[in-house]
Amino acid sequence: MARGNDPLDPKGLIREAYRIDGITPPECRSIFLDWALSLPAEIDQNTALRALHDRFEAETPDHPMTEVLAQGLSAAQSPRRRGGWRSRERG
């Protein structure tokens, strides 16, 4: 895959996903995971995700990668429940 100069998508993974004809949601999720794991530590993932979603949503609202990016945003905004055995009082 082509590498770009985009600091939000340094490997060009998201950009290339939009160029693949017939790409499926599971393939987009796999690419998204690779993107998330390869994003440099100095780049805020939530900020990058919002910017990428905003960039591609207007032109390709029905693309499976747009949906995956939206799901990523939703998951990032949802509060995480802290529970289970660690939150219970022990006696």
Side-chain angles (χ1 to χ4, degrees):
M1 286 190 194
R3 292 182 185 262
N5 294 333
D6 185 351
L8 303 178
D9 188 16
K11 289 175 139 183
L13 296 170
I14 303 297
R15 181 189 72 242
E16 290 299 318
Y18 280 94
R19 295 180 178 177
I20 299 171
D21 286 333
I23 194 167
T24 65
E27 292 167 327
C28 288
R29 284 190 289 276
S30 178
I31 291 168
F32 175 80
L33 180 60
D34 190 15
W35 169 83
L37 293 173
S38 65
L39 196 63
E42 64 271 9
I43 304 292
D44 179 68
Q45 191 173 44
N46 290 336
T47 301
L49 183 54
R50 166 60 59 201
L52 289 171
H53 181 263
D54 290 349
R55 179 186 304 170
F56 291 107
E57 180 187 31
E59 292 181 24
T60 54
D62 296 328
H63 194 281
M65 183 54 86
T66 302
E67 179 62 28
V68 169
L69 293 174
Q71 290 170 353
L73 284 172
S74 177
Q77 294 170 359
S78 298
R80 301 255 184 220
R81 178 172 123 26
R82 300 219 38 171
W85 68 270
R86 288 190 173 119
S87 67
R88 293 187 201 117
E89 289 192 34
R90 291 181 273 292

